[in-house]
Amino acid sequence: MSELATLSEVEVLGPVEGRAKEVLTSDALDFLGGLHHRFDGRRRELLAAREGRQKRFDAGERPDFLESTRAVREADWRVAEIPSDLLDRRVEITGPVDRKMIINALNSGARVFMADFEDATSPTWANLLEGQINLKDRWAGTLAFTDGGSGKAYAVGATPAVLVVRPRGWHLPERHLRVGGQAISGSLFDFGLYFFHNARAQIVQGTGPYFYLPKLESHLEARLWNDVFLHAQEALGLEPGTIKATVLIETLPAAFEMEEILFELREHMAGLNCGRWDYIFSYIKRLGRRADALTPDRALMGMGAAFLRAYSLKLIQTCHRRGAFAMGGMAAQIPVKGDPAANEAAFAKVRADKEREAADGHDGTWVAHPDLVPVAMEVFDRLMPAPNQVARQREDISVSRDDLLKVHEGARTENGLRENIRVGVQYIEAWLRGRGAVPLYNLMEDAATAEICRAQVWQWIRQEATLEDDRVASPALFERLLAEEMAALEQALPTQAFVSGRFADAIRLFRDMSLASRFEEFLTLPAYEVLEGGR
């Protein structure tokens, strides 16, 4: 146990070594303890409410707009003024919080960099503390890195991207820090440490504490974040509204409460984002037992049709009506080395996707790789000459409940099943080794893709879905394809990589979640117990 564990009620169970002491100070731990005491009870109640709503969905209830909040949707109100450095967000880059990647992202030419403690970071204790140290160095002006192999030096340039931080979702615990014997929320840990150490420095440097909030499922969860913000600002002597947040609409229930989420966070609101990959996962998770929600191969579910198209248009209309920004979704492509034709084809897909977003009225978009920044920037510069498109109210849009629930059309194939197995297992294996952003088959994948993979396998098996060749997606077929894909992967990987890695754990986790009668809410929950030898 660390020397800091003697603080009243706060136990640090992970090692506190080297520079970790700079972020795990007694004052910072006291601040985290206060967040836990004030807000963890409500957090747990809201997670229980998710379970209750899922039971109603499983019993046949369909998601819908809330009658109880109709007055909020019909009233005339707007979010508070948005800071000047967030008025033009046409291209945002995202990535994990390791030192070199932070520097490269800040220097990428994107307007905003989202430093991700969530889906792009495997939450090992070392990763989390390194990320906090790196971001603290960013605001101290000391963020630099020298590559031990090449000797190349990296430093933050003169015009870095605006920094926004994404903490983990409400569902994830941080087992290395306990308050009164309970693990603190990963959300409160990530948010609290970053805010405590950096908010004042950011304000002095002309920006502010800006956050992306993931995985919200209701306006009550947004209200909880708002109360956290109010308390944190008061504790540091900052004005209400200093914090600005962008909420990812990446769950199906949240799509029906976009107006209410904006309203709850209206003093702290900067916008909403189409978290498209997690949204597909949430659609399957929440409606997975319904025959009328059976999804096709995930490659066929694009943003131009069905529930994805409806929710992206609804998000634009909702945000602009309330004076908030509507951010587009991720382009996960990465350069295809050694194949110019394949590389240009990939970039052409990105270009077309961004043209759709800009034409629809999005105020900006996401990319996962620095080489995609100029591709996306060219599109938004061409189609969005102003800093944003909030003035485009899109009153022509009409999106109903049925539109938001309309399933994508297309076949279910053996190849689709194989791809889910292949990608899902490989991502989980890398995550268990501490890597949260993983290049696979010319795409930069994070936890959202793995969630779609295992959710779709579970749905097809659970519903005994018929594949294109008239076979049924049965447990036996899944077991056979899993064995074949893993055998092929073992042959393709470098010698001993399959044995020396975490594939045994990853295969077990993927199999267990795919065949379980009860759907596991998040793969990162059981995987977190395995991470760093948790069990």
Side-chain angles (χ1 to χ4, degrees):
M1 186 164 297
S2 84
E3 64 191 61
L4 299 179
T6 58
L7 289 172
S8 176
E9 292 194 284
V10 178
E11 296 178 283
V12 181
L13 303 184
V16 183
E17 301 168 342
R19 295 194 61 200
K21 296 177 182 179
E22 296 176 26
V23 292
L24 293 175
T25 64
S26 59
D27 287 344
L29 292 174
D30 185 59
F31 181 71
L32 292 178
L35 291 176
H36 176 88
H37 278 304
R38 284 177 177 265
F39 302 111
D40 194 62
R42 282 174 59 191
R43 179 185 74 91
R44 292 174 184 273
E45 290 173 1
L46 290 168
L47 292 178
R50 289 184 186 181
E51 295 180 6
R53 179 156 50 180
Q54 184 60 48
K55 290 178 180 178
R56 297 195 300 274
F57 289 159
D58 291 344
E61 180 181 309
R62 303 179 76 202
D64 203 349
F65 301 101
L66 300 178
E67 183 60 33
S68 61
T69 55
R70 178 182 292 274
V72 170
R73 297 194 298 276
E74 294 180 349
D76 185 18
W77 53 269
R78 290 171 67 84
V79 303
E81 183 178 358
I82 295 173
S84 59
D85 60 345
L86 287 178
L87 294 179
D88 188 335
R89 304 172 61 175
R90 63 190 59 224
V91 179
E92 302 188 344
I93 190 169
T94 77
V97 291
D98 67 272
R99 203 166 183 87
K100 180 180 174 182
M101 286 193 178
I102 290 175
I103 296 171
N104 285 340
L106 290 171
N107 294 339
S108 67
R111 298 295 170 87
V112 171
F113 164 49
M114 187 195 79
D116 191 12
F117 284 97
E118 200 223 8
D119 275 1
T121 292
S122 173
T124 68
W125 184 237
N127 283 349
L128 297 171
L129 294 184
E130 179 195 353
Q132 293 286 349
I133 292 164
N134 293 339
L135 296 180
K136 189 171 184 287
D137 284 352
R138 159 68 184 100
W139 298 113
T142 59
L143 183 61
F145 175 77
T146 300
D147 189 295
S150 66
K152 182 178 178 180
Y154 297 79
V156 179
T159 57
V162 176
L163 182 60
V164 181
V165 169
R166 178 163 72 170
R168 283 169 285 177
W170 282 131
H171 60 286
L172 287 167
E174 176 45 60
R175 68 174 180 227
H176 296 94
L177 189 80
R178 292 181 182 173
V179 183
Q182 286 186 324
I184 193 172
S185 155
S187 296
L188 297 179
F189 181 87
D190 299 339
F191 161 80
L193 274 185
Y194 178 73
F195 179 80
F196 182 84
H197 287 296
N198 301 294
R200 292 192 185 94
Q202 290 173 292
I203 294 167
V204 169
Q205 295 176 52
T207 183
Y210 304 150
F211 295 91
Y212 257 107
L213 304 180
K215 307 287 190 294
L216 269 67
E217 298 221 0
S218 74
H219 70 285
L220 297 179
E221 294 180 19
R223 182 181 298 173
L224 176 57
W225 266 120
N226 196 69
D227 289 344
V228 169
F229 292 165
L230 291 172
H231 168 77
Q233 289 163 157
E234 182 180 9
L236 267 64
L238 305 179
E239 290 295 319
T242 299
I243 296 170
K244 293 299 177 183
T246 304
V247 173
L248 289 125
I249 301 299
E250 53 187 350
T251 70
L252 181 63
F256 289 91
E257 299 185 37
M258 286 191 275
E259 296 251 20
E260 295 90 334
I261 288 170
L262 287 172
F263 182 78
E264 294 292 345
L265 283 159
R266 61 194 179 278
E267 296 302 320
H268 300 103
M269 177 53 65
L272 304 179
N273 175 290
C274 283
R276 60 174 72 171
W277 307 129
D278 266 304
Y279 193 79
I280 296 173
F281 162 56
S282 178
Y283 182 92
I284 299 172
K285 173 165 63 174
R286 295 300 173 223
L287 303 180
R289 290 177 171 82
R290 297 180 62 96
D292 60 357
L294 184 60
T295 54
D297 282 7
R298 65 184 176 91
L300 300 177
M301 292 189 284
M303 294 299 294
F307 65 81
L308 289 175
R309 178 70 172 158
Y311 117 95
S312 66
L313 291 175
K314 183 67 173 175
L315 185 143
I316 294 167
Q317 181 190 56
T318 301
C319 286
H320 288 182
R321 180 188 178 198
R322 304 305 185 180
F325 294 145
M327 303 304 298
M330 171 63 79
Q333 288 82 357
I334 57 179
V336 184
K337 296 180 180 179
D339 191 338
N343 191 66
E344 177 50 38
F347 280 26
K349 288 182 180 179
V350 174
R351 200 172 293 114
D353 183 50
K354 303 314 170 190
E355 287 174 345
R356 174 194 55 77
E357 289 179 331
D360 283 347
H362 280 291
D363 301 294
T365 192
W366 272 16
V367 299
H369 193 281
D371 285 359
L372 289 178
V373 171
V375 177
M377 193 71 74
E378 184 280 327
V379 171
F380 272 84
D381 286 349
R382 171 164 44 90
L383 298 180
M384 191 183 78
N388 54 68
Q389 303 192 77
V390 174
R392 288 186 63 190
Q393 293 292 289
R394 293 308 311 263
E395 293 177 352
D396 56 306
I397 293 172
S398 178
V399 175
S400 68
R401 177 184 72 172
D402 289 345
D403 294 328
L404 289 172
L405 299 179
K406 184 178 181 181
V407 71
H408 287 250
E409 298 179 352
R412 285 164 289 279
T413 68
E414 178 183 313
N415 284 336
L417 192 54
R418 286 182 179 275
E419 183 180 13
N420 283 334
I421 292 169
R422 187 166 56 244
V423 171
V425 171
Q426 286 185 85
Y427 180 83
I428 294 171
E429 191 274 337
W431 193 91
L432 293 174
R433 286 188 289 107
R435 297 180 60 203
V438 184
L440 294 171
Y441 310 108
N442 300 317
L443 295 173
M444 185 61 73
E445 307 288 17
D446 67 9
T449 301
E451 292 282 30
I452 299 172
C453 291
R454 63 95 180 185
Q456 189 162 67
V457 171
W458 180 90
Q459 184 191 40
W460 290 8
I461 293 173
R462 187 74 178 175
Q463 292 204 30
E464 299 181 332
T466 301
L467 303 183
E468 189 177 39
D469 58 9
D470 292 330
R471 286 181 298 164
V472 171
S474 65
L477 178 61
F478 165 75
E479 292 280 16
R480 179 170 69 81
L481 298 184
L482 175 64
E484 291 175 2
E485 287 297 323
M486 293 304 101
L489 188 59
E490 184 173 8
Q491 291 298 314
L493 290 174
T495 304
Q496 291 300 307
F498 194 87
V499 176
S500 62
R502 299 292 301 272
F503 279 99
D505 288 328
I507 292 167
R508 177 177 58 80
L509 283 165
F510 193 84
R511 176 189 286 116
D512 289 349
M513 288 185 290
S514 297
L515 297 177
S517 57
R518 175 186 175 274
F519 188 86
E520 182 69 52
E521 274 285 288
F522 293 94
L523 73 81
T524 46
L525 288 171
Y528 188 54
E529 296 303 313
V530 181
L531 188 69
E532 296 185 312
R535 75 174 181 205

